[in-house]
Amino acid sequence: MVRSSVRGEVSDVVSVEDTTSPEPRDGGGRRSRRGAEGGDRRRRRRRIVRWSASVLALALAGTATAGYLYYEHLNGNIKKESLNIGDAKDRATKAKANAAGQTPLNILLIGSDARDTAENQKLGGARNIGTAARADVQMLLHVSADRTNMSVVSMPRDTLVDIPRCTDAKTGKVYAATDDTMTNASLERGGPGCTVATWEKLTGIHVDHFMMVDFSGVVSMADAIGGVPVCVDANIYSHTSTGHGSGLKLKKGTTSVKGKQALQWLRTRYGFEDGSDIARTKAQHMYMNSMVRQLRSNATLSNPDKLLGLAETATRALTVDTGLGSVTKLYDLSKELKKVPTDRITMTTMPFVYSSDGNRVLPRPTDAAKLWRLVREDVALDGKDKKKTTTATTKVTDKAAADDRIAVQVQNGTESGTGAAVTGRAAAVTGLLVGKGFTKAAADTSAPLSEDRTLVRYPSADLAGDAQRVAKVLGIPTDQVKKSTGVDGVTLVVGADWRSGSTYTADDDTTPESANALNASDTKACMHVDPDYTW
């Protein structure tokens, strides 16, 4: 095949060369000396052209073959697993496309504490050797449908969650559902597909892909990038007399960390702020933001050798879902991520409260539920989204009946992924309505529902006026009054945004302060060091 290709290349070149004008001859038809010398030069040029074409053709053929083989080599580096192995796949619905046909992207980033290789054992320490890997870092990366912004939400590894029933796709082993279990344990219940299932069950957010990296992967990626600048406000040495701590030792100010030192930064808890997993999450956000800035400003990444090295390292470091398991798909994803400006990337932490014993954390019912809703509804967490036009409300032609003639069914929709339904909430709001003159209001005693926002539903146009009257009396915005064939009459669904109190306050789209938002363009962010860990 190569020789055939070469001959084709050569013949094409020769045919072009042979179309030159004939050599000059003397009057008797013999070539003149000048003509002979010119002909010799032309023959030499033809030989050179033929040789050059042959070499070029061989080089092109060799490069194409090598490129294909290297592409297949990179594909072979990537480890792949099932996206979702839980039994609650229908809990999260994939977001609908916007007017331009674009959909958001949700990618779960997982940091594994696996000690499955000698290098990982050395980097992670001798503890937990032989046990299943856990998901000590979990970040949900949300890219907006229009690719103008990106939001990242971290869940501390100590968060207590309900893990759904998961089935290991490789072994068929079934792991029963568990309640109030540390979220990092989801990974050891069949793999990253169970961590994805846990997130979907908790948040109602559909996860499109996951990407997982272990200790050695973090080290190799940090080396390939060439270092990531991080900042501490004092000298730090993360080490205790009992052997705890990451071993991180840095001087005050900004240091570019790579290799093992980068891993130490990401794992440090003892020495940062209050020594909690929350402080560690904050440090991870600073590292991620700095890495983004470094990748986008690092001129060395335009060097082909550097890029090939980064490609080799990245593909070896990653475990991804089967839908993302090729170099082409990873490259396509990187192009989508690159569209988002650095100053539109926002890092947050799931709002939380401490458990009763103070050793674990739980999602903060109202704030966490609001954060999940913002992500589901593709609302930018940096607050820079343009005002979305409110859906036009149905024009009401039917006049509302007297309050005491309006029958209202009240349902409890306060259940959410971050909290159980508030017992007796439907009855409490029914009492509120009766006190306002809606004497035909009645509580629905069936199973609780799950709604982010409080809604008033009605089945037909002749009841639209009644529904809007109920909403007006309670202070519920008109865009939360919805026509629905799923109800028989005017129905008030008390949502997760009204779990207590007698006054409804319409929810807004601002990111809760408890999410501790940090923008990726913030170059002044610096970790506070616990004075007990300075040197």
Side-chain angles (χ1 to χ4, degrees):
M1 291 295 292
V2 171
R3 291 186 63 185
S4 173
S5 175
V6 171
R7 286 173 180 165
E9 294 276 355
V10 173
S11 63
D12 289 343
V13 175
V14 171
S15 64
V16 171
E17 183 68 23
D18 287 346
T19 59
T20 56
S21 59
E23 299 170 357
R25 294 179 179 270
D26 61 16
R30 296 186 301 273
R31 287 183 301 170
S32 64
R33 178 184 299 274
R34 182 179 175 185
E37 289 176 350
D40 290 342
R41 284 195 297 271
R42 279 189 288 273
R43 280 195 296 274
R44 284 196 298 273
R45 283 199 299 270
R46 281 199 296 269
R47 284 196 296 271
I48 292 170
V49 170
R50 290 189 187 103
W51 179 84
S52 299
S54 300
V55 171
L56 178 61
L58 283 169
L60 289 173
T63 302
T65 303
Y68 174 76
L69 291 175
Y70 190 66
Y71 172 80
E72 288 302 304
H73 162 72
L74 291 178
N75 276 336
N77 284 345
I78 304 169
K79 297 175 284 294
K80 299 174 280 290
E81 294 201 27
S82 300
L83 174 62
N84 189 324
I85 59 173
D87 64 352
K89 296 185 184 69
D90 58 347
R91 172 103 183 171
T93 304
K94 190 173 179 63
K96 294 180 180 179
N98 62 14
Q102 303 165 302
T103 55
L105 271 174
N106 294 309
I107 305 160
L108 187 62
L109 308 179
I110 303 171
S112 160
D113 72 349
R115 267 82 165 180
D116 53 352
T117 65
E119 185 178 5
N120 277 334
Q121 290 174 9
K122 181 180 178 181
L123 292 168
R127 295 189 301 276
N128 305 321
I129 292 176
T131 61
R134 293 167 300 184
D136 274 2
V137 177
Q138 297 176 38
M139 297 181 180
L140 182 69
L141 188 155
H142 172 86
V143 189
S144 67
D146 59 10
R147 306 301 187 255
T148 61
N149 65 88
M150 183 189 304
S151 303
V152 179
V153 185
S154 287
M155 187 192 305
R157 67 167 187 171
D158 295 341
T159 305
L160 297 179
V161 297
D162 295 341
I163 300 177
R165 180 177 180 266
C166 291
T167 304
D168 191 315
K170 296 176 182 177
T171 66
K173 182 176 179 179
V174 176
Y175 295 86
T178 64
D179 298 334
D180 294 329
T181 305
M182 277 179 57
T183 185
N184 67 345
S186 60
L187 185 62
E188 61 187 5
R189 303 172 65 79
C194 193
T195 305
V196 169
T198 301
W199 271 79
E200 290 198 351
K201 178 179 175 65
L202 173 67
T203 68
I205 298 168
H206 173 78
V207 177
D208 298 289
H209 299 292
F210 73 77
M211 302 173 72
M212 183 171 71
V213 65
D214 58 16
F215 292 147
S216 59
V218 171
V219 170
S220 59
M221 284 292 290
D223 284 341
I225 293 169
V228 175
V230 295
C231 175
V232 287
D233 65 0
N235 294 351
I236 181 174
Y237 183 34
S238 178
H239 179 75
T240 70
S241 58
T242 56
H244 290 93
S246 68
L248 178 70
K249 191 171 186 179
L250 294 176
K251 290 183 178 180
K252 178 181 178 180
T254 300
T255 304
S256 182
V257 296
K258 60 181 180 179
K260 183 178 179 180
Q261 203 171 41
L263 178 64
Q264 289 173 334
W265 175 275
L266 293 169
R267 299 187 68 206
T268 294
R269 183 176 62 173
Y270 296 101
F272 282 157
E273 300 190 349
D274 62 357
S276 69
D277 195 44
I278 309 302
R280 172 162 49 195
T281 298
K282 184 177 179 180
Q284 291 166 355
H285 290 169
M286 289 185 186
Y287 180 93
M288 293 282 287
N289 284 343
S290 184
M291 183 176 70
V292 168
R293 296 194 300 268
Q294 187 75 356
L295 281 170
R296 294 187 173 186
S297 65
N298 194 342
T300 60
L301 293 183
S302 62
N303 182 308
D305 290 338
K306 292 282 187 181
L307 284 174
L308 286 175
L310 186 58
E312 181 75 32
T313 300
T315 53
R316 285 187 178 277
L318 291 175
T319 298
V320 301
D321 63 278
T322 52
L324 197 58
S326 73
V327 173
T328 301
K329 290 177 180 177
L330 286 170
Y331 176 69
D332 289 343
L333 174 61
S334 72
K335 288 195 297 182
E336 294 300 298
L337 299 179
K338 192 176 180 181
K339 293 176 183 177
V340 181
T342 303
D343 64 356
R344 295 299 311 277
I345 300 174
T346 307
M347 297 278 177
T348 62
T349 301
M350 177 198 75
F352 67 92
V353 293
Y354 284 103
S355 60
S356 56
D357 61 6
N359 293 323
R360 299 287 181 262
V361 299
L362 298 164
R364 183 186 294 271
T366 302
D367 286 1
K370 181 179 182 180
L371 193 65
W372 303 141
R373 176 183 66 77
L374 294 177
V375 174
R376 280 196 303 273
E377 296 179 2
D378 198 22
V379 177
L381 298 187
D382 62 4
K384 296 178 182 178
D385 264 352
K386 292 181 180 179
K387 289 277 186 180
K388 295 182 179 179
T389 56
T390 304
T391 304
T393 56
T394 303
K395 186 177 180 180
V396 178
T397 58
D398 183 64
K399 189 176 180 180
D403 292 350
D404 62 356
R405 298 286 302 276
I406 299 175
V408 185
Q409 186 179 49
V410 183
Q411 296 178 334
N412 186 348
T414 56
E415 180 183 14
S416 70
T418 56
V422 178
T423 304
R425 188 61 184 150
V429 176
T430 297
L432 176 65
L433 276 171
V434 170
K436 291 180 178 290
F438 291 87
T439 54
K440 288 190 174 183
D444 182 352
T445 58
S446 60
L449 306 174
S450 178
E451 288 291 345
D452 290 326
R453 298 196 191 202
T454 296
L455 301 171
V456 181
R457 292 175 171 149
Y458 62 95
S460 55
D462 61 316
L463 290 176
D466 292 354
Q468 291 199 8
R469 172 60 184 167
V470 172
K472 182 178 180 179
V473 168
L474 294 176
I476 299 170
T478 55
D479 63 353
Q480 290 169 228
V481 180
K482 307 285 185 181
K483 185 177 180 180
S484 171
T485 57
V487 295
D488 296 325
V490 176
T491 303
L492 170 65
V493 185
V494 184
D497 61 344
W498 196 14
R499 293 174 63 87
S500 62
S502 58
T503 303
Y504 178 75
T505 303
D507 203 359
D508 57 26
D509 287 344
T510 58
T511 301
E513 287 188 17
S514 55
N516 295 315
L518 179 67
N519 190 274
S521 62
D522 185 351
T523 59
K524 296 181 180 179
C526 202
M527 283 304 295
H528 174 63
V529 176
D530 183 338
D532 291 339
Y533 290 86
T534 57
W535 56 278

